[in-house]
Amino acid sequence: MRRSPLTEAQKTEIVPQIRQCILFADLTDAHIDTVLQHSRLVELQEGETLFEQQQPAHEFFLLDSGQIKLARYSPEGQEKIIDLISRGGTFAEAVMFAKQPAYPVTSVALLPSRVVCFDAKTYTAVLRESTDACFAIMAAMSRRLHGHVAEIDRLTLHSATFRVVCYLLDQLPSTQLGISEVRLDTPKHVIAARLSVTPETLSRSFSKLSREGLIKVQDNAVTLNDVSRLRRFAQGEPL
């Protein structure tokens, strides 16, 4: 795939988005300009691979549009989806701090996607000039670590229905209450793999929640009829 330098128009378009990202929020305009001068843009078709597991890592990424899955594969070819990246999400940033960086996962586009590729060496050079940015990235890594610990807890200690409810709630703002709708733009078999359940188990969980009157599923839309009760369930209260 071809990586294209960012045009001035593309830089202007992307700057507001990366300013919302914690990795760039504390950088000066000059620092951001330096990073963008060494950045590239790549367009991926559905199913196209951005990078592969164990490939040497020289870049980290921001998803400008589309959706990306990060997955690990066993020697036998079994897949475990580690994360699903939506617009505005960054990924592979942790590898830039390794002595011999290599991507621990494979990155594949689930939808036609546009990705900004940041040069890791340029970014780490900028970090040496910004203490605030260093603390920001430490905070980002800490939150991601806590997120992975919480996910391990969900996958090992909780039921499939619990995982489904948490997934649906993750698609909403933390302050959302009452009734809300979630669009399942991600294929259901991918969601099932992300939650470490079979597609059949995912369907049964949806059916159970529907019978309880908590959700209504229509095509790719899921209406959450009582977000408050679902949040209480995710915090340990029985349905």
Side-chain angles (χ1 to χ4, degrees):
M1 76 196 65
R2 191 170 69 89
R3 284 164 163 74
S4 305
L6 294 169
T7 65
E8 291 304 316
Q10 288 169 337
K11 290 178 187 177
T12 301
E13 177 187 349
I14 287 170
V15 165
Q17 186 174 174
I18 68 173
R19 273 291 184 198
Q20 296 178 30
C21 174
I22 194 168
L23 302 182
F24 299 95
D26 291 304
L27 297 183
T28 65
D29 290 341
H31 284 151
I32 287 181
D33 185 63
T34 297
V35 171
L36 292 181
Q37 289 293 339
H38 295 84
S39 300
R40 298 291 183 267
L41 195 67
V42 62
E43 304 252 354
L44 300 171
Q45 299 302 312
E46 181 179 344
E48 192 170 1
T49 298
L50 178 61
F51 58 78
E52 294 185 343
Q53 185 174 322
Q54 298 307 315
Q55 177 182 329
H58 305 294
E59 298 172 310
F60 68 102
F61 310 91
L62 180 142
L63 182 60
D64 183 54
S65 64
Q67 188 174 50
I68 297 284
K69 75 172 177 181
L70 305 180
R72 283 186 62 84
Y73 296 91
S74 70
E76 295 76 26
Q78 293 180 318
E79 178 188 71
K80 168 55 185 167
I81 296 179
I82 302 299
D83 207 353
L84 297 173
I85 308 298
S86 301
R87 183 178 187 272
T90 58
F91 54 105
E93 59 267 43
V95 297
M96 75 177 89
F97 301 107
K99 290 185 177 180
Q100 294 181 319
Y103 296 117
V105 295
T106 294
S107 170
V108 178
L110 292 175
L111 300 170
S113 301
R114 188 166 82 153
V115 180
V116 184
C117 311
F118 301 107
D119 179 67
K121 286 186 177 179
T122 301
Y123 182 80
T124 53
V126 164
L127 284 184
R128 292 187 177 93
E129 301 177 16
S130 174
T131 303
D132 288 342
C134 289
F135 277 103
I137 198 168
M138 288 171 63
M141 298 302 174
S142 177
R143 280 196 295 273
R144 188 159 294 183
L145 176 61
H146 283 292
H148 287 315
V149 171
E151 181 184 0
I152 291 171
D153 180 82
R154 291 179 189 178
L155 296 179
T156 57
L157 301 177
H158 294 285
S159 67
T161 300
F162 182 92
R163 298 177 217 173
V164 171
V165 168
C166 289
Y167 176 83
L168 293 172
L169 293 174
D170 284 345
Q171 315 309 308
L172 301 176
S174 59
T175 55
Q176 181 74 46
L177 299 173
I179 298 175
S180 190
E181 182 177 280
V182 172
R183 298 289 304 179
L184 299 181
D185 295 324
T186 304
K188 288 187 175 66
H189 73 276
V190 174
I191 295 174
R194 178 73 181 91
L195 301 178
S196 293
V197 299
T198 65
E200 293 77 15
T201 298
L202 178 66
S203 294
R204 285 195 293 271
S205 295
F206 278 148
S207 296
K208 177 181 178 180
L209 293 168
S210 296
R211 289 195 302 272
E212 294 284 341
L214 292 170
I215 68 171
K216 179 181 178 181
V217 182
Q218 187 170 11
D219 297 326
N220 290 332
V222 180
T223 301
L224 279 59
N225 295 324
D226 191 339
V227 174
S228 298
R229 186 179 171 194
L230 290 170
R231 290 198 189 282
R232 292 196 298 273
F233 173 63
Q235 293 167 359
E237 182 178 301
L239 284 178

